[in-house]
Amino acid sequence: MKPSLDITFAGVPLKNPLVLASGTCGFGREFSELFDVGRLGGICSKGLTLNPKPGNEGIRIWETAAGVMNSVGLENPGVPAFIETELPFMHTLGPRTKGPALIVNLGGHTIDDYLAGVELLNDADFDILELNISCPNVKAGGMAFGVKTETARDVVRRVRRICKHPLMVKLSPNAEDISALARACEEEGADAVSLTNTFLAMAIDIQKRRPVFENTYAGLSGPAIKPIALRMVHQCARALKIPVMGAGGITSWQDAVEYLMAGAAAVQIGTANFIKPEIALDILAGLESWMESQGIGDIAEIRGIV
Ligand SMILES: Cc1cc2nc3c(=O)[nH]c(=O)nc-3n(C[C@H](O)[C@H](O)[C@H](O)COP(=O)(O)O)c2cc1C
């Protein structure tokens, strides 16, 4: 018998636990020309903000020994244009209930930005709102919402009060105490958490004697972060009752299995998409044949066994 990979995540059925990570697949448009995105468990939209953003000046992506640094600066069309043009496209990626779960990633630079974005998205048809709290809070000196537990708690509490969709909070690995912050999200009514976002990092152009990035620091992702992100997923999964979607450096089915064994109910694939856009399908095939070879009938059997 074929092993069963379907799960229910925060009340939402996913045909398998593999999801394309925000910011690494746009809205699925380009990828859909290369492979059937509808075979995956879900897709996270590019991070949206209430108003359109042109993104950052200068270098935006920089390759490192084992991953990339990015400083894209949340370039996006804004929530209204997303609802008008990109979300209808995402609906074409598969039949509404049998296709990939549609996950909308929302950022903000003030609490009011987040709330206005959520209000607009409330009437739109998608499965999960992924709240990106790694954005800088401009009214509080630019420190990201997701660093201090109490700041994260405040934004989650206020969003939860008005959000009509299942709410998944995307955690920053730069949090002062990742499991305490995750617990605060759960206490405030989050339905799930995803982690991790990128790690704050730096590169220097030695010829120019200045940082590579205009904003000096940028976000590191890819294989370099995997062991640290995996540890954080393990810590959060043990601390929470709500499900965890793991992310960070997954490039193979073995990586995905590690995250599932650490307690993730599902995983996101990000930077690896830049190496091979259909890599998530390779990971799916690898997972299936590994389960068959191990006699694992249901993917839930390995969740959190470590
Ligand atoms: C170029 C790029 C853009 C990203 N944009 C977003 C974004 O808009 N919103 C978000 O929550 N995460 C964003 N991320 C973070 C990824 O979704 C993911 O959490 C992170 O890269 C770790 O996974 P990975 O190592 O598999 O890439 C971005 C990552 C990259 C590399």
Side-chain angles (χ1 to χ4, degrees), residues 28-298:
R29 219 177 261 283
E30 296 78 11
F31 280 22
S32 70
E33 289 169 16
L34 301 172
F35 71 98
D36 181 6
V37 178
R39 288 183 53 205
L40 297 175
I43 171 170
C44 298
S45 76
K46 170 63 192 165
L48 302 168
T49 48
L50 177 62
N51 298 311
K53 279 192 71 165
N56 290 337
E57 298 284 324
I59 286 177
R60 289 180 167 197
I61 299 259
W62 189 256
E63 198 164 342
T64 70
V68 295
M69 294 169 64
N70 92 83
S71 179
V72 173
L74 279 183
E75 177 182 346
N76 81 94
V79 172
F82 166 76
I83 293 173
E84 187 80 13
T85 55
E86 304 299 345
L87 184 58
F89 176 79
M90 289 177 83
H91 279 276
T92 68
L93 294 171
R96 192 64 194 94
T97 47
K98 297 204 176 76
L102 303 182
I103 302 175
V104 174
N105 182 286
L106 179 71
H109 294 293
T110 64
I111 292 213
D112 288 342
D113 276 359
Y114 279 107
L115 297 177
V118 173
E119 289 275 12
L120 284 180
L121 287 166
N122 267 342
D123 293 328
D125 179 16
F126 60 90
D127 297 297
I128 297 175
L129 183 81
E130 182 178 54
L131 197 71
N132 172 12
I133 58 170
S134 299
C135 310
N137 178 354
V138 293
K139 288 199 176 151
M143 185 191 279
F145 285 94
V147 172
K148 296 247 170 248
T149 302
E150 289 315 306
T151 313
R153 179 189 291 285
D154 190 37
V155 62
V156 173
R157 175 188 298 141
R158 294 176 63 180
V159 164
R160 176 71 288 178
R161 267 192 218 138
I162 62 162
C163 176
K164 294 188 182 155
H165 291 90
L167 177 64
M168 173 162 80
V169 183
K170 182 160 181 185
L171 307 184
S172 165
N174 308 309
E176 56 183 359
D177 178 342
I178 194 89
S179 39
L181 192 143
R183 264 199 312 274
C185 295
E186 181 177 68
E187 282 160 15
E188 297 307 332
D191 300 292
V193 295
S194 50
L195 71 151
T196 71
N197 211 316
T198 54
F199 287 66
L200 203 58
M202 184 177 185
I204 293 175
D205 183 328
I206 57 169
Q207 299 304 334
K208 295 187 184 145
R209 302 181 178 207
R210 55 181 302 274
V212 164
F213 295 99
E214 294 290 317
N215 289 342
T216 308
Y217 306 131
L220 177 67
S221 60
I225 69 170
K226 200 201 85 185
I228 317 177
L230 184 69
R231 182 263 295 170
M232 291 180 169
V233 164
H234 188 249
Q235 288 176 317
C236 289
R238 284 155 64 117
L240 301 178
K241 293 191 187 67
I242 55 174
V244 173
M245 204 178 268
I250 296 176
T251 61
S252 65
W253 65 264
Q254 291 93 332
D255 292 337
V257 170
E258 278 194 74
Y259 273 92
L260 299 171
M261 287 185 171
V267 296
Q268 296 183 358
I269 297 147
T271 302
N273 298 321
F274 299 142
I275 303 167
K276 187 177 183 192
E278 72 278 25
I279 201 160
L281 291 186
D282 296 352
I283 294 174
L284 178 59
L287 256 184
E288 270 172 341
S289 46
W290 175 72
M291 286 172 70
E292 272 178 64
S293 72
Q294 298 279 308
I296 299 168
D298 189 329

Side-chain angles (χ1 to χ4, degrees), residues 15-29:
K15 65 171 72 164
N16 57 62
L18 304 181
V19 173
L20 298 178
S22 178
T24 65
C25 58
F27 301 101
R29 219 177 261 283

